[in-house]
């Protein structure tokens, strides 16, 4: 990782890596770290409020923060004899979608890694299969979702399939590209130590492509989220995408915006988790 | 892998030409060479003359553009664990600890955990890295990485050792010690060694036979057995007049091409 | 914004530079007008831009975005639009949805009351959705007694063909296919209409455009009127024009046209339609939607009365 | 690149790279290379025909190859006084979409590279901006496309924006990840030669991340194609996605399938072009 | 960059400790050292003793965990073109030709095209790579890469040269020639050099002052001026009795710790 941070000559030299740590400064540093993003969030909210006040656009399309907040509160309560929104609490909607995404991306991980490795290492396979992969990864879900419904029904299966189809290409392609970037000598060394075809994959190829695999997975998760509404256009309740779709059609923009925010925040959290995992699993990044 | 069977190395009319970005480069002129099992062949030659290319051809990393490389009865077409390679530039796996790097060969042939540990401890000790067994390779200095690589290959016990300037980044003391260790390991093991070095003294000290290569395209311009190869090693030898004489004899050949 | 899309400049004769029209793939007079290029003929100096939309909701959005002058939307989205309120008005009824939308169910279901606990699919926020809820309401069922599933029309047919759903309220051509597959029609929009729950495909024109170019709107309505008359006098020719627009066979187009009810200008100005009925229907639709929690508020009655105008149909009918 | 191809001991050793070349063998090799993919295509078509013959699914969902072919022929002709499909020839639909995609991805390239570099090199920027990037890249187009329409109208601008928003995250993220994988010494060496902040970016960072940039671009292109239908739901004619959407809604599956095939093939060709470019621009892949 | 002004290198109580994956590693014990402008300081020491660490601290790649490194009046906090670095492991840019790599320094300070070409031609000739100017770095042998790196740094004309085993991968002939070239370039230029090597002979031949470091944590256990530093170089010197004597003197210090 490269940080180009301007250093003034008077700046204390020591990034003393082994300096003893105390709790106070640690807390203060954590607070300091959170301060800027929080500030930026506040600015954003203020801007939003301003736009609404200026009535640049109809409230129909840009709801006021307060009404989105009200919907949030409502979404976790029983009101008018109905639970939350469209009969489910917000967290139930969110969880329904999240579980579909985790399943879709989970399958995509297994399939994408295997596919990427096969594409990269078995030339005849690549010649035959790569065009189809490129074909599939360009297909718009809206155009072929009906087929999935015919094959897999309107329940979760077809939704998970759609998310899977959205998620595997970035993983496969990242792995493929990662393998192509491995220095020849890395492979040679293992083979001269006696590694067979699959041992090379296990001990050299896979660890080598871990950084790319993580990038691919992060991209796949993002893609899956962008596809969640398409996947939940049919029988999508409970589901945060289905809720967004339905309420958008009714121009209940405050709920739709609430859904969008919920999707975005969940995606951020998920992404953070993957990044933390990456740090643990790939400590050699940028060092070798 | 215990050295068994016939592993005579034969290069028959072997030449190698690289397709360069600009022009093609004839790295090796056609050359023929046979290395008998148990020989310790030291190669010296000017920088860029094709030593590494020669070694990689024997290792099976490259396929010659002309001629045939064979080990025993079999034509070399791919790397094999019977031919262990110490690379010119350290080539350790950063996702494995130093110890795991050394254990890799035994692990690949499914040696037991205890056996692996024993081998790793032994060879890490030999190269003086016991203390760093749990470090990551990128936490080692240049010379330490090179030593780790040597340990990795030795732990795999290859019948043929291909060593590309293994001691290049080591200080004199460490180097002397490792030369003696390598000699001891080779001695009586029946192993064959192909040893590239820039130090004529090292070549003469370790080799049973010394080759000198001409500048690119590499040919073999000198090929003689070392007269005192069967004798004792040690500081005494380095000072012995026949050692110095042979060293000078070889040194005089370099750059003759 | 894209004000440049919007006709603002005027020609010498008062007709706009450009008219942007939002149309949908519905087999009615609009497609005849488009296919026969009647508007282009009626406005020789005006650029006519036809924009295909996939739902009334997106037409509403485009109106707010100032991107279209005249559009086509079902009565449900128009009721929501007027409640917002969006600054547009209804100068014309493209069609009354007759048998083109209906509730079809599996054969073993015999009445609406049997729908309790069943899975019924419909595109939410559409006229079909409105009609479905109205039908349930009539039978004393609430939205919660039936599992109403949101799906796009072709996905509905896919789900039906697998047996994943027990029924659907949907329109042609998927309605016809479901019926062809053995679906039982429980109620059609035509029947609901006879009980006061009419649904329409309506034209909307932005208030700005109507105020600036009343003459142009009249001319536009006249062409629509001409299309309705063609549908009545020469259904074969009309079907061919519509079929060409929809890339389907004329016979199929003809069948679909027969399931809609068309009114000419003189009929539309009557009290039952633009003269009052449509406005009442829109208000009722809005109130019904609000009761279901689908729109936040209903405007006062005048909004809906003012939102429907006979002015242009009257002028065109003369 | 690693090819693990089983070699039989008797196989001729020489991959003689400098062997003289004649035209005959070259042609034969090209034919040989095309043979396998063509064969696989034939198998696929046969399977398709078989599925139709078996009537596993209604022709409404899986049209017969012959009727798709008829539509293709029709799509480039004037019939019933109307041009092609929905008033435009197929290639006009395709070109309309392709031009939107190229514009969207073009902007995404510029923006994505700059964003990725900034995220990677300016820590305060990353702290503030990265969460928003992760937010945006998870948003489902179907949920926010209305906003783009309100802001940019129904013409091409909003479509290009949507494609841009779909395309920039993979590029930015790939660049970011690429920068994080650069070995420290590479940067150190340049700085010790006198490179300033931006010279490091120009002479070291950018060339170093080229492989990742290409992967990101290929992903972005694929991703833009998957979004083309969503972008063309409104005023999408001419446009291959708009055509697919309109005809699919009308159960004209043969046209919809034709559109899908056209999208897939165009995407394959585009991807090949990018790959060829990559080969030329990054010859050192896997070597250093 | 022409050597101007004061570039005295001062290390004051400098220590460095790496945070290792396993344990922390104290690479350098606190040490103080001053290098006067124009000095040629050669450092020898066992593998892993902290030589590279010391050099990287002076280069500004690392920040000491204790103490201060300064050049002239200024505390070192970042790399600077006044301090040219030859890395222990060749570090060329694969997307640039050999020539472009050598031209990089001048290009960064916006030297004209002709000037750049002149510099590249001169230093590529010096290290014997003229023929390979258009090749890609990954098409060079190990020793050639190292020479290219040396040319790159020399073309940038730094006031202080930091060289980490620059001749480690070179054969004896090439090495002798480059030693003489380096000496010639340094002579009378006022440049300071910090030169790490494993060859005591090389240290004594090139240095005006020789340092010996102890095994890790590195301290300086020997620091003496070379008595014949101002004399002529050449084969005669290597054979001269005072040369041999001083070489033996230094060699005896290594591993004394
Ligand atoms: N991958 C390659 N592509 C093109 N040319 C190459 C490649 N590798 C080596 N060469 C060329 O082949 C010649 C011999 O290289 P080789 O690495 O065998 O030399 P060497 O004797 O090992 O030198 P050194 O002692 O410097 O390591 C050199 O001129 C080099 O430029
Ligand atoms: N990045 C690092 N992280 C952790 N420890 C390191 C790192 N780099 C070096 N070390 C440790 O610091 C010590 C000194 O390393 P350094 O590279 O300075 O040695 P050196 O004297 O240059 O050795 P050599 O002659 O083998 O190159 C070594 O024990 C090494 O393990
Ligand atoms: Mg070599
Ligand atoms: Mg070192």
């Amino acid at each position: 990782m490269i940080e180009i941070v301007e250093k003034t000559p008077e700046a204390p030299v020591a990034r003393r890596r082994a300096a003893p740590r105390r709790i106070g400064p640690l807390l203060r540093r954590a607070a300091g770290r959170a301060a800027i993003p929080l500030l930026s969030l506040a600015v954003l909210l203020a801007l939003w409020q301003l736009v609404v006040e200026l009535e640049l656009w109809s409230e129909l399309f840009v709801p006021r923060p307060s009404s989105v907040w009200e919907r949030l509160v409502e979404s976790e309560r029983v009101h008018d004899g109905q639970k939350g929104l469209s009969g489910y609490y917000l967290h139930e909607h969110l969880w329904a979608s999240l579980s579909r995404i985790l399943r879709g991306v989970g399958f995509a991980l297994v399939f994408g890694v295997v596919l990427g490795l096969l594409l990269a290492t078995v030339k005849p396979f690549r010649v035959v299969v790569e065009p189809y992969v490129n074909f599939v990864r360009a297909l718009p879900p809206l155009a072929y979702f009906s087929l999935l419904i015919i094959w897999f029904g309107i329940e979760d299966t077809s939704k998970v399939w759609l998310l899977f189809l959205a998620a595997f290409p970035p993983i496969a392609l990242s792995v493929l590209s990662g393998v192509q970037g491995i220095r020849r000598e890395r492979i040679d060394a293992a083979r001269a130590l006696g590694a067979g075809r699959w041992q090379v994959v296990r001990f050299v190829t896979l660890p080598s492509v871990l950084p790319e695999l993580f990038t691919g997975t992060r991209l796949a998760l993002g893609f899956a989220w962008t596809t969640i509404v398409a996947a939940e256009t049919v029988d999508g309740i409970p589901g945060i995408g289905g809720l967004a779709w339905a309420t958008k059609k009714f121009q209940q923009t405050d709920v739709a915006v609430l859904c969008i925010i919920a999707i975005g925040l969940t995606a951020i959290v998920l992404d953070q988790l993957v990044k933390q995992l990456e740090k643990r699993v790939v400590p050699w990044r940028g060092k070798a | 892998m215990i050295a068994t069977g016939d592993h005579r190395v034969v290069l028959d009319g072997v030449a190698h030409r690289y397709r360069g970005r600009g022009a093609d480069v004839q790295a090796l002129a056609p050359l023929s060479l046979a290395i008998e099992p148990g020989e310790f062949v030291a190669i010296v030659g000017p920088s860029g003359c094709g030593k590494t290319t020669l070694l990689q051809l024997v290792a099976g990393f490259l396929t010659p553009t002309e001629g045939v490389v064979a080990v025993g009865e079999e034509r070399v077409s791919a790397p094999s664990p019977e031919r262990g390679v110490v690379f010119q530039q350290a080539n350790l796996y950063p996702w494995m600890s130093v110890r795991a790097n050394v254990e890799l060969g035994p692990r690949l042939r499914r040696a037991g955990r205890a056996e692996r540990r024993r081998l790793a401890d032994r060879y890490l000790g030999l190269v003086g890295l016991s203390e760093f067994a749990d470090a990551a390779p990128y936490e080692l200095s240049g010379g330490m990485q090179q030593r780790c690589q040597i340990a990795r290959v030795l732990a795999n016990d290859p019948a043929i050792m291909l060593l590309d300037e293994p001691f290049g980044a080591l200080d004199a003391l460490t180097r002397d010690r490792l030369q003696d260790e390598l000699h001891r390991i080779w001695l009586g093991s029946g192993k064959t060694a192909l040893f590239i070095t820039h130090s004529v003294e090292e070549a003469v000290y370790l080799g049973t036979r010394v080759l000198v290569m001409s500048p690119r395209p590499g040919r073999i311009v000198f090929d003689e057995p070392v007269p005192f190869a069967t004798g004792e090693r040690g500081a005494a030898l380095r000072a012995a007049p026949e050692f110095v004489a042979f060293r000078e004899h070889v040194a005089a050949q370099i750059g003759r091409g | 914004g894209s004000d440049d899309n919007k006709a603002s400049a005027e020609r010498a004769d008062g007709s706009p530079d450009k008219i942007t029209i939002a149309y949908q793939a519905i087999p009615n007079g609009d497609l005849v007008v488009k296919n026969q290029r009647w508007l282009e003929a009626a406005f020789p100096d005006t650029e006519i831009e036809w924009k295909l939309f996939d739902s009334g909701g997106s037409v509403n959005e485009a109106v707010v975005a100032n991107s279209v002058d005249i559009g086509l939307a079902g009565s449900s989205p128009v009721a929501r639009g007027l409640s917002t309120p969006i600054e547009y008005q209804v100068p014309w009824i493209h069609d009354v949805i007759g048998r083109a939308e209906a509730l079809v169910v599996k054969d073993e279901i015999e009445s609406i009351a049997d729908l309790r606990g069943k899975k019924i699919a419909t595109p939410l926020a559409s006229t079909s959705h409105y009609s479905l809820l109205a039908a349930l309401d009539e039978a004393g069922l609430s939205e919660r007694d039936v599992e109403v599933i949101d799906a796009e029309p072709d996905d509905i047919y896919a789900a039906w063909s697998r047996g994943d759903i027990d029924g659907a309220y949907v329109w042609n051509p998927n309605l016809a296919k479901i019926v062809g597959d053995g679906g039982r029609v429980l109620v059609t929009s035509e029947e609901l209409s006879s009980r006061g729950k009419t649904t329409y495909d309506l034209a909307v024109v932005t208030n700005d455009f109507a105020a600036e170019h009343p003459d142009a709107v009249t001319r536009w309505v006249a062409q629509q009127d001409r299309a309705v008359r063609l549908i009545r006098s020469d259904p074969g020719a009309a079907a061919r024009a519509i079929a060409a627009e929809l890339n389907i066979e004329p016979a199929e187009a003809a069948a679909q046209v027969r399931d809609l009810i068309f009114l000419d200008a003189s009929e539309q100005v009557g009290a039952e339609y633009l003269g009052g009925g449509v406005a009442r229907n829109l208000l009722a639709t809005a109130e019904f939607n609000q009761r279901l929690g689908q729109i936040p508020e209903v405007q006062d009655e005048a909004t809906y009365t003012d939102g429907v105008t006979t002015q242009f149909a009257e002028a065109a009918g003369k």
Side-chain angles (χ1 to χ4, degrees), chain A, chain B, chain C:
Chain A
M1 200 182 307
I2 309 147
E3 311 280 48
I4 306 185
V5 180
E6 290 294 354
K7 284 183 194 159
T8 52
E10 313 87 69
V13 173
R15 287 188 253 157
R16 306 198 181 194
R17 288 162 128 201
R21 299 191 161 189
R22 266 170 294 149
I23 292 293
L26 258 185
L27 273 181
R28 228 176 303 138
R29 259 184 58 201
R33 217 183 276 169
I36 306 175
L38 284 179
L39 197 74
S40 85
L41 194 65
V43 169
L44 202 78
L45 279 173
L47 265 178
W48 178 6
Q49 185 70 41
L50 188 73
V51 165
V52 174
E53 297 294 340
L54 290 178
E55 299 189 8
L56 285 183
W57 296 288
S58 151
E59 235 185 86
L60 187 60
F61 295 100
V62 185
R64 41 182 69 244
S66 59
S67 66
V68 174
W69 176 255
E70 276 162 30
R71 289 309 195 137
L72 171 63
V73 172
E74 200 175 281
S75 74
E76 291 291 337
R77 293 221 183 116
V78 175
H79 54 100
D80 307 333
Q82 238 213 343
K83 257 186 8 180
L85 299 167
S86 295
Y88 296 88
Y89 296 126
L90 186 66
H91 71 261
E92 289 173 324
H93 286 294
L94 207 50
W95 172 247
S97 298
L98 187 60
S99 106
R100 287 170 190 143
I101 282 187
L102 291 181
R103 276 177 286 162
V105 176
F107 291 128
L109 253 175
V110 176
F111 181 75
V113 169
V114 172
L115 181 68
L117 289 176
L118 282 176
L119 285 174
T121 52
V122 185
K123 178 146 185 189
F125 185 82
R126 178 165 73 245
V127 170
V128 174
V129 172
E130 194 172 23
Y132 294 99
V133 174
N134 285 328
F135 191 95
V136 168
R137 73 187 180 80
L139 294 188
L142 288 179
Y144 67 77
F145 191 37
S146 307
L147 275 181
L148 296 182
I149 290 184
I150 302 187
W151 293 333
F152 307 112
I154 58 171
E155 305 279 328
D156 272 10
T157 316
S158 56
K159 300 183 179 65
V160 172
W161 261 99
L162 187 67
L163 297 170
F164 163 79
L165 287 173
F168 89 81
I171 296 176
L173 215 70
S174 297
V175 169
L176 169 57
S177 150
V179 174
Q180 291 177 336
I182 301 178
R183 287 208 320 280
R184 252 202 80 120
E185 301 97 76
R186 283 228 167 133
I187 311 284
D188 284 345
R191 301 194 68 202
L193 285 171
R197 193 174 176 131
W198 297 117
Q199 286 180 319
V200 168
V201 169
R202 172 161 164 223
F203 290 102
V204 183
T205 314
L206 260 184
S208 288
V209 300
L210 274 179
E212 284 87 358
L213 179 56
F214 272 100
T215 307
T217 306
R218 290 176 60 195
L219 283 172
L221 273 170
F223 282 11
W225 278 115
T226 66
T227 315
I228 192 72
V229 172
E232 292 178 348
T233 47
V234 174
D235 191 18
I237 304 287
I240 195 83
L243 185 65
W245 183 236
T247 52
K248 185 194 106 88
K249 287 208 274 187
F250 285 114
Q251 265 137 28
Q252 290 170 285
T253 329
D254 42 5
V255 182
V257 167
L258 180 61
C259 292
I260 288 183
I261 294 178
I263 288 175
L265 292 182
T266 315
I268 290 181
V269 171
L270 221 56
D271 194 68
Q272 276 297 335
L273 290 179
V274 177
K275 263 165 59 183
Q276 291 308 322
L277 190 67
E278 177 173 10
K279 267 199 195 150
R280 300 211 146 199
V281 175
V282 197
W284 65 86
R285 202 81 216 275
K287 288 176 182 157
Chain B
M1 198 146 292
I2 306 301
T4 55
D6 181 22
H7 51 264
R8 188 165 181 261
V9 178
V10 178
L11 285 80
D12 184 10
V14 166
H16 196 79
R17 196 180 176 80
Y18 287 101
R19 272 190 168 236
R21 217 177 64 146
D24 286 4
V25 175
Q26 183 79 34
L28 275 188
L31 60 82
S32 296
L33 175 70
I35 302 173
E36 301 302 326
E39 271 194 300
F40 197 119
V41 177
I43 303 186
V44 291
S47 169
C49 73
K51 302 180 294 297
T52 299
T53 304
L54 180 67
L55 183 130
Q56 296 210 332
L57 287 168
V58 176
F61 300 157
L62 292 174
T63 313
T65 48
E66 282 174 54
V68 174
V69 179
V71 170
E73 298 296 289
E74 263 187 59
R75 176 185 287 225
V76 169
S77 63
S80 140
E82 92 185 329
R83 280 165 274 135
V85 181
V86 174
F87 290 79
Q88 186 169 7
Q89 308 208 338
N91 194 355
L92 302 166
Y93 296 118
W95 48 85
M96 298 179 184
S97 68
V98 165
R99 173 192 298 288
N101 267 285
V102 175
E103 283 185 2
L104 184 57
R107 192 162 167 199
L108 289 173
R109 59 177 151 81
R110 301 185 203 294
R113 190 177 290 266
E115 157 89 348
R116 265 152 45 190
R117 204 174 168 90
R118 191 182 58 74
L119 283 169
D121 284 344
R122 171 159 159 216
Y123 288 102
L124 282 173
L126 192 90
V127 300
L129 285 177
S130 304
E131 222 185 310
F132 286 89
D134 296 321
Y138 49 86
E139 292 169 353
L140 301 184
S141 76
M144 288 157 82
Q145 289 182 23
Q146 221 176 12
R147 286 184 273 153
C148 179
Q149 230 205 138
I150 296 167
R152 180 166 76 174
V153 169
L154 293 180
N156 209 29
D157 192 20
I160 303 172
M161 297 185 290
L162 307 171
L163 305 117
D164 199 349
E165 303 186 33
F167 305 146
L170 299 180
D171 62 290
L173 277 188
T174 313
R175 187 169 184 148
D176 286 357
R177 205 172 53 69
L178 284 182
Q179 284 174 1
D180 288 337
E181 293 288 358
L182 183 63
H183 181 76
R184 213 174 36 69
I185 288 171
W186 166 79
L187 203 68
S189 70
K191 283 183 198 296
T192 308
L194 189 64
F195 186 97
I196 297 176
T197 177
H198 281 310
S199 159
V200 176
E201 206 218 12
E202 189 169 77
V204 172
Y205 186 76
L206 284 173
T208 57
R209 178 177 166 195
V210 174
L211 304 186
V212 176
M213 284 177 71
S214 71
R216 180 173 37 79
R219 276 168 303 112
I220 292 167
V221 292
F222 174 93
D223 181 353
E224 282 186 19
V226 178
F228 41 83
T230 50
E232 283 282 304
R233 306 286 124 172
L237 175 62
R238 293 186 203 268
E242 75 263 33
F243 181 88
V244 176
F246 191 68
R247 199 186 69 197
E248 297 303 323
H249 176 53
V250 173
Q253 306 301 320
I254 296 182
R256 196 182 66 165
Chain C
S2 46
D3 293 47
D4 45 354
N5 292 337
K6 201 184 157 274
S8 43
E10 257 179 56
R11 310 214 140 256
D13 66 346
S15 62
D17 261 351
K18 181 170 158 189
I19 307 177
T20 309
I21 295 171
Y23 74 104
Q24 293 194 49
I26 295 171
N28 60 28
D30 211 19
L31 289 186
V32 177
V33 171
K34 176 175 188 293
N35 184 258
Q36 299 296 309
R37 305 185 62 79
W38 286 346
L39 275 185
E40 288 80 350
F43 294 89
D45 295 329
T46 299
E47 189 188 348
I48 308 288
E49 267 209 73
W50 292 89
K51 306 276 189 194
L52 178 60
F53 279 68
D54 70 330
S55 67
S58 37
V59 173
N60 278 347
E61 286 161 10
V63 168
V64 173
N66 253 345
S67 287
V68 299
D69 303 309
I70 300 176
L72 185 162
S75 46
S76 286
V78 171
R80 278 198 305 278
L82 287 174
S83 308
T84 302
I86 293 178
E87 298 289 316
Y88 61 31
Q89 51 189 286
V90 177
W92 182 252
I93 301 167
H94 281 293
D95 57 70
V96 178
I97 298 169
R99 280 162 290 144
E101 294 185 14
L103 174 59
V104 277
V105 294
K106 284 183 175 163
D107 203 33
E108 65 264 22
I109 298 172
E110 304 200 329
S111 72
I112 295 182
D114 291 348
L115 288 181
R116 192 179 291 275
K118 295 281 195 268
K119 257 189 193 173
I120 307 295
T122 192
L124 287 198
S126 65
T127 45
S128 278
H129 185 212
Y130 170 79
S131 298
L132 171 63
L133 296 180
L136 294 177
D137 202 41
E138 276 184 348
L141 293 177
S142 87
E143 201 190 1
R144 267 164 254 172
D145 297 322
V146 175
E147 200 180 330
V148 176
I149 288 176
D150 182 23
E152 296 298 307
D154 49 331
D155 294 337
I156 288 177
Y157 179 53
W160 166 271
S161 66
R162 282 177 51 90
D164 282 356
I165 52 175
D166 299 301
Y169 209 121
V170 70
W171 55 80
N172 278 324
N174 293 285
L175 171 61
K177 281 169 188 146
I178 294 178
V179 172
D181 274 3
R184 174 203 290 265
V185 176
L186 280 188
V187 66
T188 67
S189 291
E190 190 173 34
E191 291 160 39
L192 288 172
S193 170
S194 68
R195 302 198 284 270
K197 297 286 169 55
T198 314
T199 47
Y200 304 92
D201 286 318
L202 298 175
V204 290
V205 58
T206 63
N207 289 349
D208 286 347
F209 188 81
E212 281 169 40
H213 307 288
D215 181 52
V217 180
T218 306
R219 262 193 279 170
W220 178 85
V221 167
Q223 300 310 314
Q224 294 291 337
D225 189 40
R226 184 175 161 199
V228 169
R229 280 185 272 117
L230 181 72
I231 291 171
R232 286 177 174 175
S233 61
D234 188 353
R240 272 195 303 282
I242 290 170
E245 285 299 319
L246 295 178
N247 298 313
I248 58 177
E249 294 304 315
E252 195 186 340
Q256 293 189 16
V257 169
R258 274 197 296 277
D259 285 340
L260 293 169
I261 298 160
F262 297 94
L263 307 164
D264 67 22
S266 56
E267 292 162 335
Q268 293 206 8
V269 296
E272 199 185 333
Y273 296 109
L274 296 180
V278 171
R280 276 195 303 281
N281 175 281
L282 290 175
L283 175 60
T285 305
E287 282 168 344
F288 185 69
N289 274 326
Q290 193 203 23
R291 189 148 59 80
L292 296 173
Q294 290 162 352
I295 57 178
E297 56 177 346
V298 175
Q299 305 291 322
D300 54 22
E301 202 179 332
T303 309
Y304 304 91
T305 351
D306 296 347
V308 180
T309 171
T310 56
Q311 174 194 348
F312 304 107
E314 270 168 1
K318 278 176 194 149

